Amino acid sequence: MKTLLKCAIAGLAMILAGPALAEIKVTDVKGREVTLAAPAKRVVLNFYYEDYLAVVGPGAMDKVVALSLSTWKDWRPKQFEKYLEAIPAIADIPDVGDAENGTFSAEKVIVAKPDLVILGAWTYDAMGDTVRQIEQAGIPVVTLDYNAQTLEKHIQSTLILGKVMGSEDRAEKLVANYKEAMDDIAARIKAAGPSNKKVYVELAQKGPSEVGNSYGNGMWGTLVDSLGGLNIAKGQVENWGPLSPEYVLTQKPDVIFLAGSEWLNRPQAVSVGFGADPAVARERMKAYLGRPGWSELPAVASGNVHAIYHGGTRTLSDYVYAQYIAKQLYPEAFKDVHPAKNLADYYETWLPIKADGVFVLPYQAPGQ
């Protein structure tokens, strides 16, 4: 009898200890230790929508109880429409606002009763006491950082996301896919030797009459640096900001990338992304090339001007944009690499929509 009683007590102890044994602990990209009782089932998603969908897999949006809507719907409207077609339930997910326009609401987060809030590191930095309000309500907050555009942060963010969402297998496969692609790029560049080509990246959102942001560090800046290009914004802007037209002319870039997207109410923007028309994109690019002095730039004279999808940076699919940039810096080394096809394959494998549109585009079509 005593033996049976001891077994029963031991069994009960194991049951009671179950949640503790299932605890998940991660150190996020801000160096914060975050503990969850179990994989998250009710998530507030602030950013990195496609990476969340890729890592979590089928049913990912069923776990989202609220999100920051404008940084998806307004920044990438055509992309958002595609996901809305594939997952109509997105339309019913409450919006908690976002830090970019100062509308992020801790109260709305708390009302949604999540068991996890996922923030971009840049959002966390901008939110101040708002994060503390959420955590004081007993809601864990984890930060990710794909904006840094480094292999280390991409891997760390993906593995964190896989662990807190209980989708570690997909996360590990995505990490392997990303690392393999980036290692291949690095090997080709090493074999090719230095490029020494000057690169200018501009956010082509406002039209040619107003200079858009370039990137000193992070995002396109870090990507160009890692590929061996000489980023002319390096040392001129800390993270992002416009370069003076005179400076760009004096630097004489060999390659120009106009980062375009699907922005609404931007009739002069370089329009690339989901549903984009290459003829329209090239017409918008042509206007940029008409800026004073640009016809004399080596990039323009040699036809080495390209549109590239701004929504493609800071994602797990951004290796295809790295491939495209590298292809312009080292044409021979990357002549058998096809970034547009690789992007289509990525979407086919990991996401519920197809990559239908224009995501990388030379101003001059091949053969012209």
Side-chain angles (χ1 to χ4, degrees), residues 19-26 34-40 163-166:
L21 291 172
E23 258 189 3
I24 295 171
K25 289 188 177 183
V26 297
V34 182
T35 302
L36 281 71
K163 192 165 185 179
V164 297
M165 296 305 302

Side-chain angles (χ1 to χ4, degrees), residues 255-301:
V255 191
I256 294 174
F257 295 100
L258 297 173
S261 192
E262 313 143 3
W263 299 295
L264 299 173
N265 304 315
R266 297 287 187 177
Q268 297 182 72
V270 172
S271 53
V272 293
F274 289 87
D277 181 341
V280 173
R282 286 192 170 109
E283 187 64 28
R284 303 277 179 85
M285 293 167 75
K286 182 179 180 181
Y288 276 80
L289 271 56
R291 283 172 164 171
W294 272 44
S295 63
E296 304 303 315
L297 294 177
V300 177

Side-chain angles (χ1 to χ4, degrees), residues 58-193:
M61 275 296 164
D62 296 340
K63 299 178 181 180
V64 177
V65 295
L67 51 72
S68 294
L69 187 60
S70 68
T71 45
W72 196 2
K73 184 179 179 181
D74 296 344
W75 289 11
R76 311 284 174 253
K78 296 296 183 182
Q79 181 193 102
F80 180 78
E81 285 176 14
K82 288 291 183 184
Y83 281 106
L84 198 57
E85 289 173 12
I87 313 170
I90 292 175
D92 301 320
I93 300 175
D95 178 19
V96 295
D98 70 85
E100 180 74 10
N101 59 21
T103 60
F104 193 96
S105 168
E107 291 77 13
K108 288 181 179 179
V109 170
I110 293 166
V111 166
K113 298 180 180 178
D115 48 30
L116 179 66
V117 175
I118 298 173
L119 297 180
W122 63 275
T123 304
Y124 175 88
D125 292 340
M127 284 172 59
D129 284 346
T130 303
V131 175
R132 187 168 53 82
Q133 285 179 258
I134 294 167
E135 291 181 322
Q136 285 178 340
I139 302 167
V141 174
V142 71
T143 60
L144 311 176
D145 189 358
Y146 293 97
N147 281 56
Q149 207 63 63
T150 65
L151 180 62
E152 178 189 9
K153 286 290 177 68
H154 269 51
I155 290 174
Q156 183 186 7
S157 297
T158 304
L159 294 178
I160 288 169
L161 191 50
K163 192 165 185 179
V164 297
M165 296 305 302
S167 52
E168 291 173 272
D169 184 56
R170 284 180 69 93
E172 288 168 2
K173 288 177 180 176
L174 279 157
V175 163
N177 179 68
Y178 191 84
K179 190 173 185 304
E180 181 182 1
M182 295 304 285
D183 285 350
D184 177 70
I185 291 170
R188 289 171 184 263
I189 290 173
K190 184 177 180 180

